[in-house]
Amino acid sequence: MVGMRELATHIIAVANESGKKITNLQLQKIMFFIFGKMVKNSGDDAFIESLYNYKFRRWSYGPVVEEIYFDYNNFGGRPINEEEATKTNIFTEYDSDIEKLLSVNPFKMVEITHSLPSWADYKDDIEARNYVPPYDINDFIREFRRDGR
């Protein structure tokens, strides 16, 4: 089964191929925007739901897939060193988007995620470290599909 872990590995592989460094913070934000673009482009909601096997959580620096974060948190703020990262065919159509996002300052991406209602509506609770629900598919539909379908 292909899911969020394969998306993360694919993004790292694209970074490796392009000779760009990627930190865990960048990885999390790029995953969020690429998954959002996938939701926007896909007409197959069942397929999108199947990919979303690990949920994004609302953290102080924006959306984070905890399971993926903890896979790479040993790198801290340093670039992820995973030379054996491999690409997954279903994600290759997003390679140019991934390459563009690798050039964006990760704190700019944090700022953008903070401006979206799916994070901003929970800001006070996030900052107070209260429980907030994870992102669900409807959050992505509202944020990334203009027509809301």
Side-chain angles (χ1 to χ4, degrees):
M1 180 175 109
V2 177
M4 298 304 285
R5 183 162 274 120
E6 289 75 19
L7 175 59
T9 303
H10 182 90
I11 292 167
I12 294 167
V14 171
N16 290 346
E17 275 185 5
S18 65
K20 295 181 179 178
K21 306 285 186 204
I22 185 167
T23 64
N24 204 353
L25 179 64
Q26 284 175 295
L27 175 62
Q28 295 294 326
K29 300 311 154 250
I30 293 171
M31 286 177 60
F32 179 80
F33 288 115
I34 294 300
F35 187 73
K37 189 160 190 173
M38 292 176 73
V39 169
K40 177 183 178 184
N41 292 344
S42 178
D44 186 351
D45 287 347
F47 172 69
I48 291 296
E49 292 253 9
S50 74
L51 284 177
Y52 196 47
N53 59 337
Y54 297 125
K55 308 292 185 222
F56 281 96
R57 307 289 178 177
R58 292 170 172 93
W59 282 18
S60 59
Y61 284 100
V64 170
V65 177
E66 291 176 338
E67 293 84 353
I68 308 301
Y69 172 83
F70 289 118
D71 285 347
Y72 301 107
N73 72 329
N74 59 310
F75 291 101
R78 297 180 320 277
I80 294 170
N81 180 10
E82 188 174 312
E83 294 176 15
E84 66 280 357
T86 57
K87 292 171 76 172
T88 303
N89 287 340
I90 65 166
F91 301 126
T92 56
E93 69 183 274
Y94 299 98
D95 287 0
S96 64
D97 297 305
I98 293 167
E99 287 184 37
K100 288 176 191 167
L101 288 169
L102 285 164
S103 298
V104 176
N105 182 310
F107 291 100
K108 179 64 177 169
M109 289 188 279
V110 168
E111 184 181 313
I112 293 167
T113 63
H114 283 187
S115 71
L116 299 173
S118 59
W119 190 92
D121 290 350
Y122 293 91
K123 180 181 183 211
D124 292 340
D125 283 326
I126 293 166
E127 289 176 350
R129 297 186 181 260
N130 295 329
Y131 171 79
V132 294
Y135 288 79
D136 65 26
I137 292 297
N138 291 322
D139 291 315
F140 285 95
I141 290 170
R142 280 189 298 276
E143 299 290 11
F144 292 95
R145 288 186 187 164
R146 298 225 185 265
D147 62 4
R149 64 168 174 86

